[in-house]
């Protein structure tokens, strides 16, 4: 049994000192005690916090970070020109490449303080669009990466069938994603089998890619297919996407989901950067989780999520690194809060009367991230998975800091280099700020990058 002692920890009822956590079988927290002196046989840390899930990721995109910042021939670069470059990049990727890139991404997520990778996985087939002999080959590779990195994995196989709301065929850059509903259900079943060989905390959900990429009536089939797991879908990210859905269905995407989708707390809608005020209020009140990706949404010029109105309507949030151009927990939260301040000319926009900005956001993303991941986590509590991260109490950013100011200093003044340790379901994968298999994972990634080359 593992025992961890922390100088301070953020528990469900607030900050406590001298916290002793005992982790039992299956990586769950077996007991929790406070005001204890450090026992000799316990692993000692500074500030112990619940490690959230990274709720939205396309792992392979990590390998093209930094390659899309040039002006193209178009007068104006946009999400849509970026997407063309992304399609050209993924044409080269083999299952081996996908596995090594996913391992690097998961390692970086752990080092950033995330315990779980919720992978929105849509790169399924060979470059010519034919399935591999094993329909779930690519999903198996994401699972293999999780075995190397020790991250908690929630796999979301993605159903991507059409090139637009008019049900046009997939374009040449999209044929590696394509499945009709029947083949998707086979892929989903095969992915479930893969999880049998992974640790018991791994999970599966389902992901209709977007209202552009599936027949709208198939959304209801996905709600059935999810079983007890989560359903994720991209929603209302881009202006042109909202216009296309409205032209096809007579409703804007969020209106469509509220009218026809019966959303609940096990639905996670990604982005939601293009919502009218009544859509924000309505979707928040449905209980659905908003899967926010502030760094990627900044990078792609998606727009600003209305976090103030969302929380006023008791909305839940999760945070993901999406394109993985940067994998940084503190920077995601800082970017989210600053986007609200810049829009509203305000400060502490997402704080509550009881909790500071950093405390409210870290707790909110933990709770919403747990539902979005279909995982028994979200707080340091008896019976929950031991998804934990620790900050170095000796960091200069924490000098003289107590309580919520610890989190605000981490998010607004410091960065992820303050993280000393991370556990995922009790697996102690980050120690002294580094993943325990960092050397081997990075070596394989560098070899992969030599193979695929640096240009798009
Ligand atoms: Zn995405």
């Amino acid at each position: 049994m593992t025992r961890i002692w922390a100088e301070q920890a953020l528990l469900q009822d607030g900050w406590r000192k001298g916290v002793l956590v005992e982790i039992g079988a299956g990586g769950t927290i077996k007991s929790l005690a406070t005001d204890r002196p450090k026992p000799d046989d316990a692993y000692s840390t500074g500030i112990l916090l619940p490690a959230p899930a990274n709720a939205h990721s396309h792992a392979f995109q990590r390998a093209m970070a930094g390659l899309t910042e040039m002006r193209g021939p178009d007068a104006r670069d946009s999400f849509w020109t970026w997407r063309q470059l992304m399609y050209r990049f993924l044409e080269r990727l083999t299952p081996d490449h996908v596995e090594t890139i996913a391992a690097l991404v998961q390692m970086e997520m752990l080092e950033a303080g995330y315990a779980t990778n919720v992978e929105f996985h849509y790169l399924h087939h060979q470059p010519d669009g034919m399935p591999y002999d094993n329909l779930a080959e690519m999903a198996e590779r994401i699972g293999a990466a999780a075995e190397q990195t020790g991250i908690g994995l929630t796999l979301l196989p993605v159903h991507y069938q059409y090139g637009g709301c008019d049900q046009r065929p997939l374009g040449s850059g999209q044929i590696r994603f394509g499945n009709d509903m029947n083949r998707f259900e086979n892929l989903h079943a095969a992915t479930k089998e893969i999880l049998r060989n992974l640790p018991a905390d791994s999970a599966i959900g389902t992901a209709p890619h977007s209202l552009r990429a599936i027949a709208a009536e198939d959304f209801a089939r996905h709600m059935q297919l999810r079983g007890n797991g989560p359903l994720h879908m991209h929603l209302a990210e881009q202006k042109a996407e909202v216009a296309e859905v409205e032209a096809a269905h007579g409703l804007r995407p969020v209106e469509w989901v509220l009218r026809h989708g019966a959303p609940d707390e096990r639905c996670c809608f990604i982005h939601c950067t293009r919502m009218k005020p009544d859509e924000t209020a309505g979707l928040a009140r449905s209980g659905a989780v908003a899967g926010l990706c502030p760094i990627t949404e900044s990078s792609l010029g998606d727009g600003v999520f209305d976090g103030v109105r969302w929380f006023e309507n008791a909305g839940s949030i999760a945070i993901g690194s999406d394109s993985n151009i940067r994998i940084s927990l503190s920077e995601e939260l800082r970017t989210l809060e600053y986007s609200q301040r810049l829009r509203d000319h305000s400060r502490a926009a997402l704080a509550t009367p009881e909790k500071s900005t950093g405390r409210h956001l870290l707790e909110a993303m933990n709770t919403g991230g747990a539902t979005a991941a279909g995982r028994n986590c979200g707080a340091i509590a008896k019976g929950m998975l031991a998804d934990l991260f620790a900050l170095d109490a000796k960091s200069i950013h924490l000098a003289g800091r107590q309580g919520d100011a610890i989190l605000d200093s981490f998010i607004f003044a410091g960065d992820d280099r303050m993280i000393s340790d991370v556990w995922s379901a009790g697996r102690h994968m980050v120690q002294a700020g580094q993943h325990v298999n960092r050397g081997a994972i990075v070596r394989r990634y560098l070899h992969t990058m030599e193979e695929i080359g640096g240009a798009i």
Side-chain angles (χ1 to χ4, degrees), residues 56 58 234 271 322:
H56 189 68
H58 314 290
H234 291 122
H271 301 307
D322 193 7

Side-chain angles (χ1 to χ4, degrees), residues 416-455:
D416 298 340
R417 285 173 293 183
M418 295 164 65
I419 295 171
S420 59
D421 300 87
V422 182
W423 291 261
S424 174
R427 298 179 291 271
H428 192 184
M429 301 316 297
V430 173
Q431 300 177 18
Q434 291 217 334
H435 192 279
V436 293
N437 300 329
R438 178 171 247 282
I441 291 167
V442 169
R443 261 196 308 282
R444 282 198 290 271
Y445 179 75
L446 294 176
H447 180 68
T448 286
M449 292 308 284
E450 263 174 41
E451 273 187 19
I452 50 183

Side-chain angles (χ1 to χ4, degrees), residues 311 350-352 355-365 404:
F311 284 127
L350 301 177
T352 70
K355 293 172 183 174
S356 75
T357 310
R359 165 97 177 267
H360 179 223
L361 288 180
L362 184 74
E363 288 187 336
M365 78 175 290
D404 289 5

Side-chain angles (χ1 to χ4, degrees), residues 56-58 61 120 122 209 234 237 270-271 293 296 322-323:
H56 189 68
S57 157
H58 314 290
Q61 293 180 13
F120 195 99
Y122 62 83
H209 177 273
H234 291 122
E237 178 180 12
I270 309 301
H271 301 307
C293 311
T296 295
D322 193 7
S323 70

Side-chain angles (χ1 to χ4, degrees), residues 185-413:
E185 286 182 359
N186 292 338
L187 173 64
H188 191 271
T191 306
K192 237 182 205 170
E193 287 302 310
I194 292 166
L195 295 188
R196 288 182 198 280
N197 300 320
L198 295 176
D201 59 293
S202 53
I204 184 169
T206 189
H209 177 273
S210 57
L211 288 175
R212 284 176 286 128
I214 62 157
E217 59 269 23
D218 281 343
F219 186 87
R221 291 178 74 176
H222 282 278
M223 286 292 271
Q224 301 222 308
L225 193 60
R226 68 179 176 165
N228 295 321
L231 176 149
H232 287 223
M233 184 169 80
H234 291 122
L235 192 69
E237 178 180 12
Q238 287 285 325
K239 212 170 166 180
E241 172 197 17
V242 173
E244 190 183 332
V245 171
E246 192 170 16
H249 299 295
L251 294 168
R252 291 160 55 85
V254 174
E255 291 173 334
W256 188 93
V257 160
L258 290 172
R259 179 92 55 93
H260 300 298
D264 60 18
E265 65 283 350
R266 284 191 294 114
C267 291
C268 180
F269 295 108
I270 309 301
H271 301 307
C272 302
T273 44
R274 291 273 167 190
M275 298 199 292
K276 290 181 174 172
D278 59 326
E279 294 173 345
T280 303
L283 195 62
R285 283 195 230 108
S286 77
V289 179
L292 310 176
C293 311
I295 295 174
T296 295
E297 286 152 12
S298 304
S299 165
L300 297 180
D302 286 345
V304 178
F305 174 77
D306 190 350
V308 174
R309 194 180 301 272
W310 186 261
F311 284 127
E312 278 170 6
N313 287 280
S316 300
I317 63 159
I319 301 279
S321 52
D322 193 7
S323 70
N324 295 310
I325 188 165
R326 287 266 299 148
I327 297 175
S328 168
L329 170 56
S330 55
E331 190 170 317
E332 295 286 4
L333 295 179
R334 189 187 320 136
T335 304
L336 172 61
E337 167 65 21
Y338 281 177
S339 69
Q340 311 295 301
R341 296 185 189 187
L342 286 165
R343 181 194 57 210
D344 299 341
H345 313 286
S346 64
R347 294 201 77 257
L350 301 177
T352 70
E354 299 79 30
K355 293 172 183 174
S356 75
T357 310
R359 165 97 177 267
H360 179 223
L361 288 180
L362 184 74
E363 288 187 336
M365 78 175 290
N366 257 293
T367 309
T371 347
R375 185 173 171 88
N376 174 27
C377 64
I380 303 179
K382 194 176 161 187
M384 277 195 187
L385 288 171
D387 287 355
L388 310 166
F389 77 107
L391 298 178
D392 177 4
K394 295 190 181 63
S395 163
I396 52 165
H397 301 296
L398 297 185
R401 298 290 178 271
Q402 289 295 322
D404 289 5
I406 292 171
L407 295 178
D408 297 324
S409 298
F410 164 53
I411 293 165
F412 295 103

